[in-house]
Amino acid sequence: MKEEDSVAEILGNDIVEDIIMPSLGADMTEGMLVEWLVKPGDPVKRGDVIAVIETQKGAIDMEVYHTGVISEILHEPIVTLPVGTVMARVTLTEPGERAKVTPLDSVTVTPLDSISLTHVETSTPLASPVVRKMAMDQRLDLTEVKGSGPLGAILLRDLSGSNIDRTNAIEVDDAINTKKAMRGAIASAMSKSKNEIPHFYQSLDIELGNALQWLKRTNEDRAPDQHILLLALLLKAAAKALMKYPDLNGFYQNNQFVHAEEIHIGNVISLRQGGLVVPAIHNVDKLSVDETMEAIRDISVRGRSGHLRSSELTDATITITNMGERGTDTVFGVIYPPQVAIIGFGKVRETPQLVDGDLVNSEVMSVCLSADHRVIDGMLGAKFLNALSKQLQKPELL
């Protein structure tokens, strides 16, 4: 990943770094600052959660990318801020450690005088942007809803099970409205991807007999909640193949490709209320299969309950989408910019194949690669898919 330092100001011997509203995906243009978990004078370490922000993906724990002391808070909750807006500042205590900034795709910072504050009208209950839009669309009366946010702000989670006055409302579930908002954001991001990225597609049927037998043996003496799923093997195999073919692992920005130093694999998670999130599992190449499975369970639970960290939504260097559990043979994904590739895994199916002249039933999976032709060509894609296949033939080595 290309390192780009955020705006830094040198005051005497102090280096002050900006803390900005992060971009948590190509479909995000603004976020709502719900709560600060720090105050001026508090020491922080890189990776500490310092604030809660709310987006269409739910409530997100926002991390700090610097080690230092919070020197200034520029915006107080509850306020909606465009991506890239400076929210606070931190004075570095380790000046040699400059932060890695997550890829920001054409960020435009809106002047502060045009930012919409959610608490301007004191007669209206405090509410997040998504909640306010739902209330407007459905003519909901929020005055009796008890908010769980700072200053009593009403968040998405507060609407579940609430007795909302719908006397004059259109009888549509809150979940449907939330789904519509998220679908719109996804459509915008994917349209941008298809319009700007020259996609090409390749697929390979991979034999999984060895992998499935290894899983069966490994899981025999384990409790069901400790079973290793095939997805863990697929992630590990992809990570090992990416080590050999790193041109699929990184970002296309400013008309050039930048390799990512780490392998952070984004895993598409479908939400029960509709839509999806794509949190990253960090450093998959350095995890064991068991650790990978634990990370999958953890990120799936937190992804569906709306408790992801900002780094998990910004650090993915490549994405996988696993549609096999839904019964889909093949899936050709749309690249999530600024990444340059996405891998689609279909369902495991029995297929007759010739082995040493005999016709036998084999368990195979179609693996599909969608790649950015500005960075990757067909030969590289084919080599990657075959490397992935070879990794899955020897699951004990993953």
Side-chain angles (χ1 to χ4, degrees), residues 6 41 45 64 71 103 152 190 198 220 293 314 345 375 386:
S6 59
K45 301 188 303 295
V64 65
S71 54
M190 295 300 95
E220 278 179 346
M293 189 65 245
T314 57
F345 295 110
V375 178
N386 279 277

Side-chain angles (χ1 to χ4, degrees), residues 99-116:
K100 291 181 181 178
V101 174
T102 305
L104 297 179
D105 188 22
S106 302
V107 170
T108 301
V109 178
T110 304
L112 293 182
D113 58 5
S114 67
I115 293 174
S116 172

Side-chain angles (χ1 to χ4, degrees), residues 39-112:
K39 61 183 182 301
D42 284 354
V44 292
K45 301 188 303 295
R46 180 184 176 92
D48 285 352
V49 176
I50 60 170
V52 178
I53 58 178
E54 185 170 301
T55 73
Q56 289 170 324
K57 295 180 174 69
I60 306 298
D61 292 332
M62 176 179 162
E63 298 160 87
V64 65
Y65 292 91
H66 317 272
T67 296
V69 175
I70 299 297
S71 54
E72 191 175 8
I73 299 290
L74 299 178
H75 296 280
E76 293 295 336
I78 292 172
V79 61
T80 301
L81 302 170
V83 166
T85 300
V86 180
M87 304 167 62
R89 292 191 173 94
V90 57
T91 300
L92 302 191
T93 54
E94 298 179 10
E97 178 190 320
R98 302 303 298 277
K100 291 181 181 178
V101 174
T102 305
L104 297 179
D105 188 22
S106 302
V107 170
T108 301
V109 178
T110 304
L112 293 182

Side-chain angles (χ1 to χ4, degrees), residues 134-194:
M134 289 171 58
M136 181 180 298
D137 291 344
Q138 299 185 41
R139 305 173 191 171
L140 303 180
D141 181 5
L142 300 178
T143 56
E144 299 301 320
V145 179
K146 184 177 181 180
S148 62
L151 304 178
I154 302 169
L155 308 180
L156 272 175
R157 62 174 179 260
D158 300 322
L159 297 185
S160 177
S162 297
N163 293 320
I164 302 173
D165 182 3
R166 295 173 178 263
T167 303
N168 298 315
I170 301 173
E171 293 298 329
V172 180
D173 289 338
D174 295 337
I176 294 177
N177 282 270
T178 304
K179 180 179 178 180
K180 286 172 62 178
M182 183 172 284
R183 295 310 317 173
I186 293 170
S188 176
M190 295 300 95
S191 294
K192 178 180 175 67
S193 172
K194 290 292 288 184

